[in-house]
Structure formats: C-alpha cells, structure tokens
Amino acid sequence: ISLGGDVAVGVGDPSVHHPWQVAIGERPDGGTQQTIELRVGAVATSSTTHRRWIRGGEPRHHVVDPRTGRPATEVWRTVTVVAATCVAANTASTAGIVLGGDAPAWLEERGLAARLVRHDGALVHLPGWPVAPAPPRTTRPVGRHSPG
C-alpha cells in the first residue's frame, strides 16, 4: 500500500508475506539511492529539500519545529525510517528532521531502523537499517519511495 509516498507492506493475510523491494530516494523526481527488502512494516521519508520557498529573503521549508513555530534547523536533508505502521514511520521521520543532531539517539532509543542523510550527503545508518543493497530481482520494485 502506498500512502502518498509512505509505503506499507505485509498487510492482510500473513501467509503471503514475501519480501517487497522498496526503492529509497531523496527527491520525488530523483533517482534511487538504495533499494531495501521489507516483508512487513512501513517506510517513510521526511525531507527539507523540497516544498521550499523564500520569505523575507530567507529560505524556508515545510517541516516546522513546534518548539519555535519556525522551519526546523536543517541538519538532515532526509530522514527515512522503518516502523510497524506508516503513521509511526512518518511521525518518526518528521521528528528526526525536527530533532536535528539529536535525531540518531532519539530514533535508536526507540529501536527504529533509520537512514539519515546530512546536507553534505554523508550517510548515517542506525542499527537495523539494511546497509547492503537488496539483491536484484526480476520483478519491478513495489514503487519509488520518496519524501512526501
């Protein structure tokens, strides 16, 4: 099931849960950075690289830090999280953007597998994230997963 960019797999009959390939991207119009396999669960990506504008001469983005009422400080360009549900994955990926440098510890404390990309392109993989790319398959991936 694709929910506006967030992806859930393995819903319904548990006897048919097979691995789905989920392509992870950083922009809706960009390429795939990694393909992961997921049998059950959800993937969501939050990003500061799109849904941007300039106001008062300052660049802004759509992820608002509720503590300040302003766009979150841009530490990560994307935070992708695997969780049990799309709601949990999306909530955690958005929190990762808002928490900035504190995000890896916060996500790890909650046992969430995640892939964080700094603005300079450096990757941070948290425990549980499938670092090695999934093996190629003859079938098409379930879909490109990009920030929504």
Side-chain angles (χ1 to χ4, degrees), residues 8 15 37 49 65 71 104 106 108-109 115 133:
S15 68
E37 284 194 353
T49 62
D65 184 335
W106 186 87
E108 196 168 347
E109 285 170 6
R115 175 185 190 269

Side-chain angles (χ1 to χ4, degrees), residues 41-67:
V43 181
T45 299
S46 292
S47 176
T48 61
T49 62
H50 66 288
R51 296 186 191 161
R52 298 181 66 89
W53 63 93
I54 295 182
R55 184 171 182 193
E58 289 185 40
R60 308 280 178 123
H61 60 84
H62 76 291
V63 181
V64 175
D65 184 335
R67 299 169 295 191

Side-chain angles (χ1 to χ4, degrees), residues 81-105:
V81 176
V82 175
T85 67
C86 282
V87 170
N90 186 283
T91 300
S93 65
T94 301
I97 294 287
V98 171
L99 291 170
D102 294 331

